[in-house]
Amino acid sequence: RAPLAILIAFLPIFAANVIFAKRFASTEHPTIAFATNLLGSMLGGSLEYLSLAFGYRALLIVAAGLYISAFLLRPSARRDTAPPEPDRELALAYPP
């Protein structure tokens, strides 16, 4: 029973790490992606502690709201706009 419990407990963590690694490898701005991941981890930890005060049912409502917000605010796959301008400091530090 212990190996099955370990598998069930750590499978979501493993899946999240694989998803992040694949998305991180293809990002144009790794610093922003990593910072966003850290902020999300801190927010998730704070919400987890709030569940001790308000209960898991309230946390489920908050989590559902966050997932819906993330879905609605996700970047579109289509690019109708011009590519972003490179940072001036970065261009000066690494000339072509």
Side-chain angles (χ1 to χ4, degrees):
R1 289 176 53 179
L4 182 62
I6 291 169
L7 180 70
I8 291 171
F10 290 109
L11 192 61
I13 296 168
F14 178 74
N17 286 329
V18 170
I19 291 168
F20 175 74
K22 288 192 174 280
R23 295 288 307 241
F24 187 75
S26 66
T27 186
E28 294 177 10
H29 305 287
T31 307
I32 294 172
F34 191 67
T36 305
N37 188 44
L38 288 176
L39 285 173
S41 298
M42 291 189 302
L43 178 65
S46 299
L47 289 174
E48 183 179 353
Y49 282 117
L50 283 176
S51 71
L52 297 174
F54 298 109
Y56 283 108
R57 287 190 180 138
L59 181 64
L60 288 174
I61 294 169
V62 172
L66 289 172
Y67 276 112
I68 291 169
S69 299
F71 178 76
L72 294 175
L73 296 173
R74 77 184 189 285
S76 66
R78 214 174 46 162
R79 298 281 182 186
D80 290 343
T81 61
E85 293 288 325
D87 291 338
R88 180 173 167 75
E89 293 175 9
L90 187 62
L92 293 175
Y94 300 102

